[in-house]
Amino acid sequence: MKPVNKALFPSIVEKFQFDGQFVGLLPYGSGHINDTYSVIFQMDEHINRYILQRINTDVFCNPVELMENVVGVTRYLHSAITKAGGDPKRETLNLIPTVDGSYYYVDEQGGYWRAYLFIENTVTLQRARNKADFYESARSFGRFQLLLADYPAETLHETIPLFHNTPNRILQFQEALQADKKGRADKVRKEIDFVLEREEFTHVLVDLQAQGKLPLRVTHNDTKLNNVLIDAGTGLGICVIDLDTVMPGLSLNDFGDSIRFGASTAAEDEPDLSKVNFDLDLFEAYTQGYLEVAGKVLTDAEIDNLPVGAKMLTLECGIRFLTDYLAGDIYFKTAHPNQNLDRARTQFKLVQDMEEKWDAMFDIVKKHRNK
Ligand code: ADP
Ligand code: GN1
Ligand code: MG
């Protein structure tokens, strides 16, 4: 993506139905993909804040279909939350229309912009401060799954084809390895072997899906802890955000992606692997929260395979980071040259640790099912 041309900001901001007098705009958050800003408006004594985002069209090649998914899902959630007696302005994203009544605006560089109500008094966490945070995020993603259980998944566009198809991620990895564009492969033989030794495992979930043993659902596909807004006062999970990857998919991918990010004792890019461990207590907190809320809509086969989902998504993410390292850091935003390698190594350390704690993971699922 070309950097955002800041001179275009005034012309972008005026295209949305924001309320009040424009006060200012600042870069916001720490996502890896989109360019996110908070925009401040003043109306009498009130401050109105909004999120303004440029969609990363290198990653999302069809932003129009992406926005159709976001509009469909947020509308549905809005009405489901209202019916359940919740607050739809806080518990789901609310798109701000453009002055033309569309939900996105294309700038003169071809950048796609959209805006949301800013959900105030919330925090996004890069790491769980305690078990309760992670439990809360589980309840939020569980609620997302529950509320969307009857949404017709097949009407959603696949915003990134084969996004969580792990065998396909292995193919992309092998291509990057073959090309070895930056001559980095020799430095990472150990990590390459780690991936290749687990090639067979990568087929487990896609095979179950192909055999009709796992249902296709509306899934979020990027269920990191930092994609849930947590109430700053009460600590309760409030709203699932970052809906770009909402697609038809497997619930196990959503469960697994949460675990790989949140049940680690260290940051995703921690260079000191002695600090990186898979924390069974955090795994239990998430499993409990997720099953308490989504358990009633999940099938036995889904619940049986939760640990497989956790290991699969951790391995897959490690493969993606290593692939990007080999390809020269072209996909994930990086702040230093080894960051993707550091990220890949943390994921592989977690996979190894899960393999050692494999039986305990199944025992935890058993303890919290059918409650
Ligand atoms: P990315 O795909 O780049 O991760 P996100 O959609 O997750 O982009 O947004 C980046 C960050 O912006 C989030 O981590 C969160 O801190 C903040 N954010 C996004 N939407 C909202 C919102 N509606 N209200 C408040 N904060 C938000
Ligand atoms: C990206 O957008 P963000 O930072 O929430 C990525 C996820 C990865 C994650 C790793 C569209 O998520 O798939 O798991 O980084 N999103 C996309 O941190 O590729
Ligand atoms: Mg995000």
Side-chain angles (χ1 to χ4, degrees):
M1 287 292 288
K2 271 196 206 152
V4 173
N5 177 356
K6 296 189 174 67
L8 295 180
F9 278 139
S11 64
I12 294 165
V13 167
E14 72 180 21
K15 298 298 182 310
F16 288 89
Q17 295 186 32
F18 296 134
D19 282 335
Q21 279 293 110
F22 176 71
V23 177
L25 174 150
L26 285 170
Y28 194 80
S30 53
H32 291 165
I33 302 291
N34 295 314
D35 295 296
T36 304
Y37 301 85
S38 76
V39 202
I40 299 175
F41 280 75
Q42 181 152 20
M43 221 166 81
D44 306 324
E45 321 283 70
H46 297 287
I47 293 292
N48 293 327
R49 258 209 292 187
Y50 302 93
I51 285 281
L52 180 67
Q53 273 181 329
R54 184 180 71 164
I55 300 170
N56 184 328
T57 44
D58 288 346
V59 169
F60 299 104
C61 307
N62 198 331
V64 175
E65 288 191 349
L66 180 155
M67 288 308 293
E68 280 173 19
N69 283 356
V70 175
V71 170
V73 165
T74 52
R75 269 198 193 136
Y76 189 92
L77 286 172
H78 199 281
S79 116
I81 290 164
T82 308
K83 269 190 213 143
D87 177 356
K89 288 246 159 82
R90 242 177 120 60
E91 295 168 31
T92 182
L93 288 173
N94 286 258
L95 281 162
I96 306 292
T98 64
V99 288
D100 304 332
S102 171
Y103 282 108
Y104 59 86
Y105 162 70
V106 188
D107 72 24
E108 56 193 62
Q109 290 185 311
Y112 280 72
W113 294 84
R114 54 140 182 251
Y116 294 115
L117 280 183
F118 192 104
I119 301 173
E120 298 287 352
N121 301 317
T122 60
V123 288
T124 34
L125 303 172
Q126 301 311 316
R127 291 262 312 278
R129 295 163 299 193
N130 47 46
K131 275 201 279 183
D133 285 334
F134 201 39
Y135 168 82
E136 280 303 322
S137 78
R139 291 187 61 94
S140 293
F141 284 120
R143 184 161 184 243
F144 185 82
Q145 190 63 257
L146 178 74
L147 292 176
L148 290 166
D150 293 327
Y151 190 97
E154 67 289 351
T155 62
L156 290 172
H157 305 287
E158 228 180 315
T159 49
I160 302 180
L162 303 176
F163 190 55
H164 283 317
N165 182 310
T166 319
N168 191 58
R169 294 293 184 182
I170 292 258
L171 291 179
Q172 293 171 335
F173 160 73
Q174 278 162 335
E175 275 168 29
L177 178 58
Q178 207 79 44
D180 193 17
K181 273 208 178 125
K182 299 277 164 178
R184 290 172 166 179
D186 272 344
K187 260 182 70 185
V188 293
R189 287 289 157 205
K190 214 172 91 192
E191 287 74 15
I192 293 168
D193 289 344
F194 188 93
V195 172
L196 297 178
E197 281 158 19
R198 286 159 183 78
E199 201 273 336
E200 208 182 309
F201 171 76
T202 63
H203 294 265
V204 174
L205 293 180
V206 290
D207 286 355
L208 284 173
Q209 186 183 2
Q211 293 156 14
K213 293 183 178 155
L214 294 172
L216 202 63
R217 296 188 181 277
V218 176
T219 46
H220 181 282
N221 295 302
D222 189 6
T223 50
K224 294 199 293 194
L225 178 67
N226 63 13
N227 284 329
V228 175
L229 301 179
I230 307 268
D231 189 289
T234 63
L236 296 176
I238 296 296
C239 180
V240 168
I241 60 167
D242 205 348
L243 303 177
D244 300 333
T245 45
V246 167
M247 285 183 259
L250 299 181
S251 62
L252 296 171
N253 296 337
D254 277 2
F255 177 84
D257 203 19
S258 286
I259 297 299
R260 70 141 200 103
F261 187 82
S264 170
T265 53
E268 189 179 67
D269 60 352
E270 171 59 57
D272 178 356
L273 289 183
S274 70
K275 294 185 182 154
V276 183
N277 288 299
F278 171 59
D279 185 321
L280 271 179
D281 285 341
L282 287 171
F283 176 74
E284 177 157 11
Y286 195 93
T287 304
Q288 182 184 347
Y290 190 70
L291 287 178
E292 272 172 9
V293 182
K296 47 182 154 307
V297 292
L298 298 178
T299 64
D300 282 344
E302 288 179 294
I303 299 178
D304 290 343
N305 282 291
L306 290 174
V308 177
K311 179 174 154 187
M312 189 70 75
L313 269 283
T314 314
L315 178 63
E316 181 190 287
C317 201
I319 295 170
R320 293 174 62 196
F321 288 141
L322 188 59
T323 303
D324 201 32
Y325 177 74
L326 291 170
D329 309 312
I330 52 175
Y331 186 89
F332 296 104
K333 287 182 182 167
T334 49
H336 59 84
N338 272 342
Q339 198 171 11
N340 269 320
L341 179 57
D342 289 341
R343 289 172 178 152
R345 286 179 170 152
T346 62
Q347 303 306 294
F348 297 151
K349 172 82 191 283
L350 293 170
V351 168
Q352 202 173 9
D353 214 8
M354 285 179 193
E355 287 169 350
E356 283 161 25
K357 295 169 178 165
W358 200 230
D359 292 343
M361 290 170 77
F362 283 89
D363 288 344
I364 287 169
V365 171
K366 202 166 154 195
K367 179 172 158 197
H368 291 286
R369 71 188 306 163
N370 299 330
K371 275 196 176 165

